Amino acid sequence: MKTRPAGIGSYNADWMGSLAPKLTAMPLKYLAVPGSHDSFTFWVDVQAPVGPDQKVFVQYLATIFRDIAKKVMVKWSMTQNLTFKEQLDAGIRYFDLRVSSKPGEPGNEIYFIHGLFGHKVRDGLIDINSFLNRHKKEVVFLDFNHHYAMEAEHHAYLISMIQEVFGNKLCCISVAETITLDFLWDKKYQVIVFYHHPSADSCPVMWPGNKIPAPWANTTEPIKLIKFLETTLKERTKQGSFHVSQAILTPRVNTVAKGLLWGLRNFLVERNLPTIMTWVEAQRPGVDGVNIITSDFVELTDFANTVIKLNNLLLTDKPT
């Protein structure tokens, strides 16, 4: 059963288009933007083999224990409940995308992946494009940061697919400081794609991964996470890139063992969300502040709205 706390709906569907002129003239790298971690995991295919992103021993266990292993994997692979459309309606504008071919499958089809295979990438991109067609002033960041079981032809297929689906909405690589909402609206750009693989180096609409660092705390402890987020914000690149603060906890093998039947959401995320959200609420965007913040299960709190409202702090800054 999906959780739908009060406030999840489409009331943030046009938040970028509703920002004050002072904010739309400001580099997008200085605005607060809500994002989702492993954005596509609202559906995974329990019938398909375990993905090539998993260690060999996990793949082996899945072949031995089959349905039982898959049920456990679903509980620990899913980090979102909302579909792309629902995330977009709620205000999410950054998507963390991990992709893979299906080894042994003929053709070059590419799927989302996190332990288990998700939807075809093409279907997800079409959903995002449909939203953008209806909301002309909204802009999304698509971060293709992990690629599995992909040869040169798979990359060529995916890069071509992204261009085919979004067409003229794709923003060409530029100096990050020049990318404002006003600039994007003027050019009718709505999609900034980051592609963390050399296959896209010669493509003018595929931004390299180093333009969007997303340091990862890799901890199960919220206090360690917050210390890490604070440290990496202070070290944030001053020039030339966006920045992702991953406000997420990462299960270890012993975490999964302890909470085997509970799953990520019940065992790790829900109990620690208040601490994480207190940190988010205390942030401010701007030159030395947060930019993109990502979360698991974005609907469990008023996450997107909380991040969006941080931009109001920039309206009260006195000119220097």
Side-chain angles (χ1 to χ4, degrees):
M1 185 170 159
K2 289 186 179 177
T3 309
R4 286 288 190 285
I8 288 296
S10 59
Y11 75 116
N12 278 329
D14 294 292
W15 73 264
M16 286 179 157
S18 307
L19 289 173
K22 179 179 176 181
L23 299 178
T24 65
M26 201 175 277
L28 195 47
K29 62 177 280 186
Y30 297 142
L31 298 186
V33 178
S36 56
H37 168 241
D38 281 318
S39 308
F40 47 84
T41 53
F42 49 85
W43 181 83
V44 288
D45 184 0
V46 292
Q47 305 305 320
V50 171
D53 61 330
Q54 292 299 295
K55 292 184 170 65
V56 173
F57 80 89
V58 175
Q59 297 185 35
Y60 172 73
L61 288 174
T63 58
I64 301 295
F65 294 105
R66 295 182 183 274
D67 291 351
I68 296 171
K70 294 273 187 72
K71 281 177 182 171
V72 171
M73 287 190 73
V74 168
K75 285 177 180 286
W76 288 93
S77 294
M78 294 180 76
T79 63
Q80 304 298 335
N81 283 326
L82 302 186
T83 65
F84 282 135
K85 180 187 181 299
E86 289 169 330
Q87 290 181 49
L88 287 159
D89 280 342
I92 299 298
R93 294 293 176 269
Y94 166 91
F95 295 94
D96 164 27
L97 306 173
R98 295 133 198 252
V99 297
S100 178
S101 73
K102 276 188 185 169
E105 182 181 84
N108 296 319
E109 199 59 70
I110 305 297
Y111 299 83
F112 295 118
I113 192 161
H114 189 225
L116 297 168
F117 285 98
H119 287 291
K120 289 180 182 176
V121 171
R122 182 182 295 275
D123 293 341
L125 300 186
I126 288 170
D127 285 348
I128 292 169
N129 191 53
S130 297
F131 173 88
L132 295 174
N133 284 337
R134 296 190 304 274
H135 303 274
K136 298 292 187 183
K137 287 193 163 183
E138 300 307 294
V139 174
V140 298
F141 298 83
L142 303 183
D143 191 358
F144 289 88
N145 51 54
H146 287 69
H147 306 83
Y148 299 97
M150 288 177 63
E151 305 294 335
E153 60 270 22
H154 295 111
H155 284 287
Y157 175 83
L158 178 55
I159 292 165
S160 167
M161 177 206 303
I162 294 166
Q163 293 176 282
E164 182 191 322
V165 171
F166 295 113
N168 294 333
K169 293 187 182 78
L170 291 167
C171 176
C172 293
I173 301 168
S174 186
V175 178
E177 285 72 17
T178 64
I179 305 294
T180 66
L181 285 172
D182 288 342
F183 165 81
L184 294 166
W185 294 342
D186 180 59
K187 300 284 188 186
K188 296 186 167 49
Y189 293 152
Q190 289 183 273
V191 184
I192 306 175
V193 175
F194 300 87
Y195 202 93
H196 299 237
H197 193 274
S199 301
D201 285 355
S202 60
C203 184
V205 291
M206 300 285 130
W207 291 55
N210 63 9
K211 297 288 187 185
I212 192 156
W216 175 43
N218 192 16
T219 180
T220 57
E221 300 174 38
I223 303 306
K224 284 187 179 173
L225 169 65
I226 286 163
K227 188 174 180 186
F228 178 86
L229 291 170
E230 292 289 347
T231 303
T232 49
L233 259 186
K234 289 192 185 103
E235 296 165 353
R236 179 181 169 184
T237 311
K238 298 298 177 201
Q239 292 292 319
S241 72
F242 298 91
H243 181 85
V244 180
S245 297
Q246 296 198 66
I248 58 158
L249 296 170
T250 304
R252 303 226 159 101
V253 172
N254 64 342
T255 320
V256 177
K258 284 180 195 166
L260 200 62
L261 300 176
W262 287 78
L264 178 70
R265 174 179 154 178
N266 293 336
F267 191 74
L268 193 60
V269 176
E270 285 186 339
R271 64 174 68 176
N272 293 304
L273 265 177
T275 307
I276 294 171
M277 287 305 296
T278 299
W279 179 83
V280 173
E281 288 161 5
Q283 296 315 296
R284 62 179 298 120
V287 176
D288 297 312
V290 291
N291 178 203
I292 296 158
I293 306 177
T294 61
S295 177
D296 289 323
F297 301 108
V298 294
E299 83 287 358
L300 290 182
T301 62
D302 202 15
F303 170 73
N305 207 35
T306 301
V307 175
I308 293 164
K309 282 181 176 173
L310 295 177
N311 291 305
N312 293 335
L313 298 170
L314 297 170
L315 296 174
T316 57
D317 286 350
K318 294 183 173 63
T320 52

